[in-house]
Amino acid sequence: VVYLHAGDALKKQPEIKPFPRDTTTKQAREGKVKVEFNVSHSFQNAWKLPTVLNSEQYNMVWKDVTDKSTVMKLPEASNPAIYPDGALTRTDWLDEILRTGELQHYAVSLSGGSEVMKGFFSFAYDRTDGLLINTYREQIGGKAGLDFQLSKNLKFSETVNFQHSNGQGGINTNSHESYIVEAIMYPRSAYVYEHDQAGNLVYDGDGKPLYSGTIPRWAKEVYGLTAGYGSIRNPVASLNRLRQNRPASNLHSTSVLEWKPVKELALRSSLSAAYYQSMSDDFSSSIPEIGRPDPQNQRSTSAYTSTRWLWESTATYANVFAEHHIMP
């Protein structure tokens, strides 16, 4: 399975769907207890990626545009006469933010019963490590059902579904601020991590390498640059700084009572109830790199809860009078 976007790792939170009128899958069956296991492991990669200009080509495009303009000037960072390092191609940003996605699925189910009672139970765990670095999604789900033949004409059944998910993703992949677009726009002359003029990694106070901006910090002093390449951010730093907690739970149950007091008449009453709860807790740390810095830490939290229920009752009468069928 091949995707260019991060959708598989970053699926949206589950939505409450309309109540099903009938469930035709994973129903309880009569017989000995049956146990089934299902395990799958697969991978996905991005395909047909766009070809991005190297640093020299990028600077040539800037020069062609500004030469024909009476207003625009060639940016200092794109002028090799001012900033010769800007003509060097160092980083493939799409390659840096994309990876081989991994999909895992584990499921077990039990079913069986007798003429009086039949039941089934299933449980599944899924994890997807997304195509974009530091993105993932986990989901567990369970389903249980019981059918009781209370008497010859009376039957009761109960079905319960539960699902819980969490993950890190849900990122903007469409606008000019998306990580994929920034990886295409970000200057290839920049390093992923900050280097000094001698080519050595620069570390912060905790001994971790600093992320690089559109131009290195030393270039502002050596070449007198004031900015570089516009208001964009290091896409590797942005993805690695994701701190999201977005759990969501969905519980749904359906109870059905069926009674046939006489052969021609069938009465059916069903009650469905659903409970949905989700929370979003995202933290955005400060961004010190040259490009589009932000000195503030931010945190946003939201929660949503929903309950629904539906009660339906039907009566069906069917008979034949002198070869005339009556079935409302």
Coordinates of all heavy atoms in Angstrom, one line a residue, residues 29-60:
R29 N -23.3 -18.0 16.7 CA -23.7 -19.2 16.0 C -23.7 -20.4 17.0 O -22.9 -20.4 18.0 CB -22.6 -19.5 14.9 CG -22.7 -18.5 13.8 CD -21.7 -18.8 12.7 NE -21.7 -17.9 11.6 CZ -20.9 -18.0 10.6 NH1 -20.1 -19.0 10.4 NH2 -21.0 -17.0 9.6
E30 N -24.6 -21.3 16.7 CA -24.7 -22.5 17.6 C -23.6 -23.4 17.3 O -23.1 -23.6 16.1 CB -26.1 -23.1 17.3 CG -26.4 -24.3 18.1 CD -27.7 -24.9 17.8 OE1 -28.6 -24.2 17.2 OE2 -28.0 -26.1 18.1
G31 N -23.2 -24.1 18.3 CA -22.1 -25.2 18.1 C -21.0 -25.0 19.1 O -21.1 -24.3 20.1
K32 N -20.0 -25.8 19.0 CA -18.9 -25.8 19.9 C -18.1 -24.4 19.8 O -18.2 -23.7 18.9 CB -17.9 -26.9 19.5 CG -18.4 -28.3 19.7 CD -17.4 -29.4 19.3 CE -17.9 -30.8 19.5 NZ -16.9 -31.8 19.2
V33 N -17.4 -24.2 20.9 CA -16.7 -22.9 21.0 C -15.6 -22.9 19.9 O -14.8 -23.8 19.8 CB -16.1 -22.7 22.4 CG1 -15.2 -21.4 22.4 CG2 -17.2 -22.6 23.4
K34 N -15.6 -21.8 19.1 CA -14.7 -21.7 18.1 C -13.8 -20.4 18.3 O -14.3 -19.4 18.6 CB -15.4 -21.5 16.7 CG -14.5 -21.4 15.5 CD -15.3 -21.2 14.2 CE -14.4 -21.1 13.0 NZ -15.2 -20.9 11.8
V35 N -12.5 -20.6 18.2 CA -11.5 -19.6 18.5 C -10.8 -19.3 17.2 O -10.3 -20.2 16.6 CB -10.5 -19.9 19.6 CG1 -9.6 -18.8 19.9 CG2 -11.3 -20.3 20.9
E36 N -10.7 -18.0 16.9 CA -10.0 -17.6 15.7 C -9.0 -16.5 16.0 O -9.3 -15.6 16.8 CB -10.9 -17.1 14.6 CG -11.9 -18.1 14.0 CD -12.8 -17.6 13.0 OE1 -12.8 -16.3 12.8 OE2 -13.4 -18.4 12.2
F37 N -7.8 -16.6 15.4 CA -6.8 -15.5 15.5 C -6.4 -15.0 14.1 O -6.5 -15.7 13.1 CB -5.5 -16.1 16.1 CG -5.6 -16.6 17.5 CD1 -5.9 -17.9 17.8 CD2 -5.5 -15.7 18.6 CE1 -6.0 -18.4 19.1 CE2 -5.6 -16.2 19.9 CZ -5.9 -17.5 20.2
N38 N -6.2 -13.7 14.1 CA -5.8 -13.0 12.9 C -4.7 -12.0 13.2 O -4.8 -11.1 14.0 CB -7.0 -12.3 12.3 CG -6.7 -11.7 10.9 OD1 -5.9 -10.8 10.8 ND2 -7.4 -12.2 9.9
V39 N -3.5 -12.2 12.5 CA -2.4 -11.3 12.7 C -1.9 -10.9 11.3 O -1.7 -11.7 10.4 CB -1.2 -12.1 13.4 CG1 0.0 -11.1 13.5 CG2 -1.7 -12.5 14.8
S40 N -1.6 -9.6 11.1 CA -1.1 -9.1 9.9 C -0.1 -8.0 10.2 O -0.2 -7.3 11.2 CB -2.2 -8.6 8.9 OG -2.8 -7.4 9.5
H41 N 0.9 -8.0 9.3 CA 2.0 -7.0 9.5 C 2.4 -6.5 8.1 O 2.8 -7.3 7.2 CB 3.2 -7.6 10.2 CG 4.1 -6.7 10.8 ND1 5.1 -7.0 11.7 CD2 4.2 -5.3 10.7 CE1 5.8 -6.0 12.1 NE2 5.3 -4.9 11.5
S42 N 2.2 -5.2 7.8 CA 2.5 -4.7 6.5 C 3.2 -3.4 6.5 O 3.4 -2.8 7.6 CB 1.2 -4.6 5.7 OG 0.3 -3.7 6.4
F43 N 3.7 -2.9 5.4 CA 4.5 -1.7 5.3 C 4.0 -0.8 4.1 O 3.3 -1.3 3.2 CB 6.0 -2.0 5.1 CG 6.6 -2.9 6.2 CD1 6.5 -4.2 6.1 CD2 7.1 -2.3 7.3 CE1 7.1 -5.0 7.0 CE2 7.7 -3.1 8.3 CZ 7.7 -4.5 8.2
Q44 N 4.2 0.5 4.2 CA 3.8 1.4 3.2 C 4.9 2.4 3.0 O 5.6 2.8 3.9 CB 2.5 2.0 3.5 CG 2.4 2.8 4.7 CD 1.1 3.4 5.0 OE1 0.1 3.1 4.3 NE2 1.0 4.2 6.1
N45 N 5.0 2.9 1.7 CA 6.0 3.9 1.4 C 5.4 4.9 0.5 O 4.4 4.6 -0.3 CB 7.2 3.3 0.7 CG 8.2 2.6 1.7 OD1 8.7 3.3 2.5 ND2 8.4 1.3 1.5
A46 N 5.9 6.1 0.5 CA 5.5 7.2 -0.4 C 6.0 6.8 -1.8 O 7.1 6.2 -2.0 CB 6.0 8.5 0.0
W47 N 5.3 7.2 -2.8 CA 5.6 6.9 -4.2 C 5.4 8.1 -5.1 O 4.6 8.9 -4.8 CB 4.6 5.7 -4.6 CG 4.9 5.1 -5.9 CD1 6.1 4.8 -6.5 CD2 3.9 4.7 -6.9 NE1 5.9 4.2 -7.7 CE2 4.6 4.2 -8.0 CE3 2.5 4.8 -6.9 CZ2 3.9 3.7 -9.1 CZ3 1.8 4.3 -8.0 CH2 2.6 3.7 -9.1
K48 N 6.2 8.1 -6.1 CA 6.1 9.2 -7.1 C 6.2 10.6 -6.4 O 5.4 11.5 -6.6 CB 4.8 9.1 -7.9 CG 4.7 7.9 -8.9 CD 3.5 8.0 -9.7 CE 3.5 6.8 -10.7 NZ 2.3 6.9 -11.6
L49 N 7.3 10.7 -5.7 CA 7.5 12.0 -5.0 C 8.0 13.0 -6.0 O 8.6 12.7 -7.0 CB 8.6 11.8 -4.0 CG 8.3 10.8 -2.8 CD1 9.5 10.7 -1.9 CD2 7.1 11.3 -2.0
P50 N 7.6 14.3 -5.7 CA 8.1 15.4 -6.7 C 9.6 15.5 -6.6 O 10.2 15.3 -5.6 CB 7.3 16.6 -6.1 CG 7.1 16.3 -4.7 CD 6.9 14.8 -4.6
T51 N 10.1 16.0 -7.8 CA 11.5 16.3 -7.8 C 11.7 17.7 -7.4 O 11.2 18.7 -8.0 CB 12.1 16.1 -9.2 OG1 11.9 14.7 -9.6 CG2 13.6 16.4 -9.3
V52 N 12.5 18.0 -6.4 CA 12.8 19.3 -5.9 C 14.1 19.9 -6.4 O 15.0 19.2 -6.6 CB 12.8 19.3 -4.3 CG1 13.0 20.7 -3.7 CG2 11.5 18.6 -3.8
L53 N 14.0 21.2 -6.7 CA 15.2 21.8 -7.2 C 16.4 21.8 -6.2 O 16.2 21.8 -5.0 CB 15.0 23.3 -7.5 CG 13.9 23.6 -8.6 CD1 13.7 25.1 -8.7 CD2 14.2 23.0 -9.9
N54 N 17.6 21.6 -6.8 CA 18.7 21.7 -5.9 C 19.0 23.2 -5.6 O 18.3 24.1 -6.1 CB 20.0 21.0 -6.4 CG 20.4 21.6 -7.8 OD1 20.3 22.8 -8.0 ND2 20.9 20.8 -8.6
S55 N 20.0 23.5 -4.7 CA 20.2 24.9 -4.2 C 20.6 25.8 -5.4 O 20.1 26.9 -5.5 CB 21.3 24.9 -3.2 OG 20.9 24.1 -2.0
E56 N 21.4 25.3 -6.3 CA 21.9 26.1 -7.4 C 20.7 26.5 -8.3 O 20.6 27.6 -8.8 CB 23.0 25.4 -8.2 CG 23.7 26.3 -9.2 CD 24.8 25.6 -9.9 OE1 25.1 24.4 -9.5 OE2 25.4 26.2 -10.8
Q57 N 19.9 25.5 -8.6 CA 18.7 25.7 -9.5 C 17.7 26.7 -8.8 O 17.2 27.6 -9.5 CB 18.0 24.4 -9.8 CG 18.9 23.5 -10.7 CD 18.3 22.1 -10.7 OE1 17.6 21.6 -9.8 NE2 18.5 21.4 -11.8
Y58 N 17.6 26.5 -7.5 CA 16.7 27.4 -6.8 C 17.1 28.9 -6.8 O 16.3 29.8 -7.1 CB 16.6 26.9 -5.3 CG 15.6 27.7 -4.4 CD1 14.3 27.4 -4.5 CD2 16.1 28.7 -3.6 CE1 13.4 28.1 -3.7 CE2 15.2 29.4 -2.7 CZ 13.9 29.1 -2.8 OH 13.0 29.8 -2.0
N59 N 18.4 29.1 -6.7 CA 19.0 30.4 -6.8 C 18.8 31.0 -8.2 O 18.6 32.2 -8.3 CB 20.4 30.4 -6.3 CG 20.6 30.2 -4.8 OD1 19.7 30.3 -4.1 ND2 21.8 29.8 -4.4
M60 N 19.0 30.2 -9.2 CA 18.8 30.6 -10.6 C 17.4 31.1 -10.9 O 17.2 32.1 -11.6 CB 19.2 29.5 -11.5 CG 20.7 29.2 -11.6 SD 21.2 27.8 -12.6 CE 20.6 28.5 -14.2

